[in-house]
Amino acid sequence: MLSVISFLLLFLFSCVGKPAQTEVQESTESNNAVVVSVDATKEHQTMEGFGATHLSLVYEGKGDVLTPPLRARAVAAVYQEVAVSTGNLEGALLESRGGWNERANDNNDPFKFDADGFQTFNARAIKEKLVDLARPLGFDNYFLAQKINVRWASPWLNSIRNSDYNRYLDEVAEQVLAGQLYWRDTFSIIPRYLMLFNEPLSGNRELLNGTTKDVVDIVKRVGARLRNAGFKDIKFVVPNEETEEKSLESAKAILSDAEARPYVGAIGYHPYPYGSVYANVPKILETSGVGKPDPDRIAVRNKLRDLGKQYGIPVWMTEVSHGEVDPRSFDDLRGRAIHIHDELVYADAAAYFGMNSMWDAISHELHFGGRNRNLFSEEGTIVLIDNKTVHITGMGYAIGHYARWIKRGAIRIDASSSNPLLQVSAFRHGGQRRLVLVIINNASSNNDVNVNVKGLTMAGNLIGEQSTAAGYWQPVPAFRTTHTSSFMLSVPAKSVTTIACQIR
């Protein structure tokens, strides 16, 4: 639920130490073992990646709140250590002849740009202070968030909508096109996607008195304007509403319109409000974490999955925060690892986003002022910076268990467990010829796991990493199995383990 700060305004850290205590060995029969069945002949979604909202942490009138060494460590933590690879850049142009307080329409002609009427500070800041540093680390699948925000960024649009709805749509399209043209003509960057809305009708209600018709009409008008200007391939991530149900409702309306449908690249959704099953980490641990996922939350994810399948469009979970636990805790790590598993399995989500890629103490104070919140209340962000140290959060470590091993283009394949307390997701990456399993043991005791693989042949060493309360991302000792379709391992109580091997 991104607030107005995104308009006003990663510690090279690697957990090192003893290797994980997981035992990996040749498959043997065990009456008490959990049986994991992996079937590569049953394919699900093609993965886009793991991401967040990306902020520059550079503010007009204040400048960069991070020192160069601290920024370098933070960027490395997010984009190299955790391996975040996608997400929306908060580098939108602001229609203003000055700063935030001077927000206004550039002119009265939505088909004639007045360059002096668009402020480019945020675009330049995020390009120079984040993109340029992160791209060498593999961050190359980002996209722009030139979002329509009548409530905060462009309140003048409200009166135009009330008096001349057709002109309102053209003014909205002009604003989006201006951002795309700036990034293309200034930086030679044309991303594949564009985030057009953030909670337009629910949550933040950024369309301010907008309607579903408003959303559908904007998709059509902006899409056509971009195509006419030469942006033939860019598609939208929509609608990114506050809840799964509202996102489903809006996505159905957009996709049922034959003119709007061609512009949709992904169905984005949020799992709020605060305190809901998948926003709140204790609730995740009390439901799916004890083998009893909430049936209503599964049902709506299945509906999002089915809508995506109906139109051949991927489904993305594009924001979550407010887990109500210490973001440095193992509860946060295990809870968010479970959340990722459930979004991938029940919604066939092809992308999973945390809240922000990074957030720091100075930005926190600027945003919250005297309100009684501290930096470590910001659960959901990948990296928190207390302006001395960079902290990879539980969310960051959870994402890393997937993102460090699973790259864009990997296909999730079918995987099942005989014990509801042991969750597993499996991925085949054809380009890397790799099989990856992420295993979450929610039991309070160690578990032996027999893994049986169908539809592919394993080769070489099994490798991986493991997190428990005693240590995060601990290396699993490599082991060469003599079986090409099975192996056995023992996983500790309350643990998250990633296992990978080459395939042929």
Side-chain angles (χ1 to χ4, degrees):
M1 304 174 79
L2 196 62
S3 67
V4 67
I5 189 66
S6 63
F7 301 100
L8 295 172
L9 317 147
L10 227 156
F11 182 2
L12 259 191
F13 187 94
S14 179
C15 189
V16 297
K18 295 180 180 179
Q21 298 303 303
T22 300
E23 295 180 5
V24 183
Q25 58 194 45
E26 296 181 18
S27 180
T28 59
E29 292 299 321
S30 172
N31 292 332
N32 297 319
V34 179
V35 177
V36 166
S37 301
V38 177
D39 188 348
T41 67
K42 296 180 180 179
E43 297 183 348
H44 298 283
Q45 71 270 38
T46 299
M47 298 301 300
E48 183 69 28
F50 298 84
T53 293
H54 303 273
L55 307 173
S56 70
L57 305 185
V58 180
Y59 306 114
E60 196 164 17
K62 190 169 187 67
D64 191 345
V65 299
L66 303 179
T67 64
L70 196 58
R71 178 171 291 276
R73 291 199 299 275
V75 168
V78 174
Y79 302 100
Q80 187 174 55
E81 298 299 311
V82 177
V84 165
S85 62
T86 190
N88 49 296
L89 300 180
E90 290 299 308
L93 300 194
L94 178 70
E95 274 197 73
S96 170
R97 293 185 178 275
W100 183 256
N101 293 330
E102 290 73 45
R103 289 160 293 159
N105 195 0
D106 68 320
N107 57 37
N108 291 324
D109 186 347
F111 295 97
K112 183 178 180 180
F113 294 121
D114 181 348
D116 292 336
F118 290 86
Q119 198 226 61
T120 63
F121 179 89
N122 289 332
R124 289 183 282 107
I126 203 163
K127 169 61 168 58
E128 295 167 8
K129 293 290 189 174
L130 191 140
V131 173
D132 288 350
L133 300 177
R135 285 189 72 172
L137 304 179
F139 182 52
D140 60 2
N141 193 26
Y142 51 83
F143 52 92
L144 303 186
Q146 188 70 47
K147 298 172 292 189
I148 307 307
N149 191 314
V150 179
R151 180 178 178 185
W152 292 317
S154 306
W156 47 269
L157 280 170
N158 191 45
S159 60
I160 296 177
R161 178 174 54 194
N162 292 337
S163 61
D164 189 340
Y165 183 70
N166 191 59
R167 182 187 160 203
Y168 158 74
L169 295 176
D170 287 331
E171 293 283 2
V172 164
E174 177 194 38
Q175 190 177 95
V176 177
L177 178 58
Q180 290 295 323
L181 288 171
Y182 182 80
W183 278 79
R184 184 193 69 183
D185 297 344
T186 307
F187 305 131
S188 299
I189 292 174
I190 306 176
R192 297 163 57 229
Y193 296 106
L194 184 149
M195 182 170 281
L196 198 54
F197 306 111
N198 177 66
E199 300 184 355
L201 307 179
S202 59
N204 289 345
R205 299 185 183 276
E206 294 185 6
L207 277 187
L208 186 65
N209 305 317
T211 64
T212 300
K213 180 181 185 301
D214 204 358
V215 169
V216 176
D217 288 345
I218 287 173
V219 170
K220 292 191 288 188
R221 190 65 57 92
V222 174
R225 186 78 176 268
L226 290 177
R227 291 294 184 271
N228 289 337
F231 295 95
K232 301 298 185 183
D233 300 317
I234 290 176
K235 293 193 174 185
F236 304 143
V237 182
V238 289
N240 311 300
E241 289 286 6
E242 180 193 32
T243 68
E244 303 95 321
E245 282 85 357
K246 186 60 178 177
S247 296
L248 178 66
E249 175 190 333
S250 292
K252 282 182 176 179
I254 297 167
L255 291 169
S256 65
D257 189 296
E259 291 182 50
R261 190 185 313 137
Y263 304 122
V264 179
I267 300 169
Y269 66 97
H270 298 173
Y272 299 120
Y274 300 151
S276 64
V277 171
Y278 282 111
N280 185 275
V281 169
K283 288 185 178 179
I284 295 172
L285 297 175
E286 292 165 3
T287 53
S288 194
V290 295
K292 298 178 180 179
D294 184 283
D296 290 338
R297 297 305 89 201
I298 293 176
V300 70
R301 280 163 175 74
N302 289 168
K303 290 178 180 178
L304 284 163
R305 174 201 65 197
D306 293 345
L307 181 66
K309 286 184 176 180
Q310 178 182 349
Y311 292 104
I313 294 171
V315 173
W316 295 3
M317 198 292 294
T318 53
E319 183 190 303
V320 69
S321 65
H322 283 72
E324 305 303 330
V325 294
D326 189 314
R328 299 161 293 184
S329 67
F330 184 69
D331 275 356
D332 192 41
L333 190 161
R334 185 166 66 92
R336 288 307 176 197
I338 293 169
H339 185 200
I340 296 169
H341 166 276
D342 288 4
E343 299 293 4
L344 301 188
V345 171
Y346 299 131
D348 274 9
Y352 177 100
F353 291 13
M355 181 63 186
N356 297 321
S357 58
M358 58 185 186
W359 188 245
D360 75 290
I362 296 175
S363 296
H364 196 77
E365 179 61 26
L366 288 170
H367 183 41
F368 291 106
R371 285 177 278 176
N372 188 26
R373 294 177 63 90
N374 64 72
L375 177 65
F376 296 106
S377 66
E378 291 304 294
E379 192 280 333
T381 288
I382 312 302
V383 157
L384 294 173
I385 312 156
D386 61 13
N387 293 93
K388 293 180 181 179
T389 306
V390 173
H391 304 264
I392 297 178
T393 64
M395 170 68 90
Y397 282 111
I399 286 177
H401 266 286
Y402 298 82
R404 286 155 63 92
W405 301 85
I406 302 157
K407 304 305 178 184
R408 178 182 163 200
I411 297 172
R412 186 176 72 84
I413 56 178
D414 213 52
S416 62
S417 166
S418 64
N419 186 334
L421 292 179
L422 189 136
Q423 298 171 302
V424 59
S425 48
F427 309 84
R428 185 189 68 230
H429 200 301
Q432 296 183 338
R433 302 197 63 79
R434 173 183 275 184
L435 169 68
V436 178
L437 305 181
V438 180
I439 300 170
I440 306 168
N441 184 19
N442 293 307
S444 56
S445 59
N446 297 355
N447 262 316
D448 292 334
V449 184
N450 279 324
V451 179
N452 300 298
V453 180
K454 175 184 176 182
L456 55 79
T457 300
M458 295 185 295
N461 291 336
L462 292 161
I463 58 173
E465 56 195 11
Q466 183 177 91
S467 294
T468 65
Y472 303 164
W473 291 349
Q474 299 293 304
V476 172
F479 178 79
R480 179 180 289 274
T481 180
T482 58
H483 295 270
T484 59
S485 62
S486 64
F487 63 91
M488 182 175 175
L489 69 157
S490 180
V491 293
K494 302 293 176 63
S495 62
V496 181
T497 305
T498 303
I499 293 290
C501 70
Q502 294 301 114
I503 57 176
R504 61 172 186 262

